[in-house]
Amino acid sequence: MPEAPLLSVSALNAWYGESHILHGVSFEVPRGEVVTLLGRNGAGKTTTLKSVMGMVGRREGSVRFGGKELVALPSNRIARLGLAFCPEERGIFASLNVHENLLLPPVVRAGGLPVGQVFDLFPNLKERLSSQGTKLSGGEQQMLAIGRILRTGARLLLLDEPTEGLAPVIVQQIGQTLSRLKAEGFTILLVEQNFRFASKVADRHYVMENGRVVDMIPNAELESNLGKVHEYLGV
């Protein structure tokens, strides 16, 4: 019997106030895979991540993590089950230095990476330990934001646009990091506009339009579906 997916989202609806943003979103993230949500701006990708984490005002449907239903749980309880969200704006605290930012989130489960291992992944951070968080470059801030959630013991990482606005050399470094994390057993759900980057790290891609999942393309079939992908993304 095939193993149940680590994350299973089914018929998920979500609202911001009166605005109905997600309309019956369904997808699966198998354990140990990197899965991307692709789509144009406003397609509902970030709202999907926030809905999985319980960070929207109202949601209905099913979000199962490791077989446990999350849809009625608050976000702090969801985080303690082993999910972590890295927002697009990164959330680095200006008043704290790199070391303090790194130690800020509590460890919620065993199995998180010790600080030394975070520095192995992101050597730049070790050199900038006493620098203020917001004095870092955009790439270093992204590394800090990812490094911070790796300490918590989360096994499912929800990353929102981790390559947004970064120099190509840093994008490459982030890609290598995601591949290493996957090799270490992490499962990753990635929102990404840059499908070229996504194609180097992901196992499968779900395409979103107007708050719905409209397609799933295995990474092995991405090249043969490039025309369709360009159409979906408007590139």
Side-chain angles (χ1 to χ4, degrees):
M1 221 174 113
E3 187 183 6
L6 183 63
L7 180 72
S8 181
V9 174
S10 178
L12 180 63
N13 287 269
W15 291 259
Y16 289 132
E18 295 298 304
S19 302
H20 190 177
I21 309 295
L22 300 185
H23 304 268
V25 166
S26 299
F27 63 93
E28 293 182 342
V29 182
R31 192 180 300 274
E33 283 199 8
V34 178
V35 172
T36 57
L37 299 178
L38 295 173
R40 302 182 195 209
N41 280 333
K45 305 182 302 295
T46 296
T47 302
T48 300
L49 295 190
K50 289 184 173 178
S51 298
V52 168
M53 281 302 295
M55 296 167 66
V56 296
R58 179 182 162 208
R59 58 186 183 151
E60 292 174 0
S62 175
V63 177
R64 297 184 74 82
F65 174 70
K68 185 177 177 66
E69 181 57 65
L70 307 184
V71 93
L73 297 181
S75 54
N76 62 328
R77 291 271 308 280
I78 291 171
R80 290 186 182 282
L81 292 171
L83 294 85
F85 174 54
C86 188
E88 184 184 355
E89 61 277 9
R90 299 173 190 143
I92 303 301
F93 288 85
S95 58
L96 303 179
N97 66 25
V98 167
H99 196 231
E100 290 163 337
N101 265 288
L102 200 55
L103 297 181
L104 196 61
V107 173
V108 295
R109 296 170 68 85
L113 296 190
V115 170
Q117 240 177 305
V118 174
F119 293 150
D120 286 345
L121 285 171
F122 301 121
N124 311 43
L125 295 183
K126 192 172 184 178
E127 295 159 19
R128 305 296 304 273
L129 266 190
S130 54
S131 302
Q132 257 185 304
T134 46
K135 294 270 167 62
L136 303 181
S137 68
E140 287 166 338
Q141 287 191 35
Q142 186 62 64
M143 292 170 193
L144 179 54
I146 296 174
R148 195 166 57 178
I149 62 174
L150 294 177
R151 283 186 49 260
T152 64
R155 303 312 290 166
L156 175 62
L157 310 179
L158 310 179
L159 307 182
D160 193 5
E161 300 273 13
T163 68
E164 178 71 25
L166 301 184
V169 63
I170 304 295
V171 171
Q172 192 177 0
Q173 194 176 345
I174 300 284
Q176 290 165 349
T177 301
L178 297 190
S179 297
R180 277 182 67 181
L181 293 174
K182 181 186 169 186
E184 291 192 23
F186 286 92
T187 305
I188 298 169
L189 178 59
L190 179 69
V191 162
E192 192 47 77
Q193 293 277 37
N194 179 350
F195 77 89
R196 284 286 174 204
F197 169 79
S199 71
K200 291 185 174 70
V201 296
D203 296 281
R204 66 187 71 209
H205 312 273
Y206 287 94
V207 182
M208 294 193 70
E209 276 184 356
N210 303 318
R212 294 175 171 84
V213 170
V214 295
D215 206 350
M216 192 282 281
I217 304 170
N219 199 52
E221 297 172 21
L222 194 63
E223 285 298 321
S224 58
N225 282 283
L226 278 187
K228 194 159 64 165
V229 172
H230 284 304
E231 212 170 291
Y232 283 138
L233 301 181
V235 292

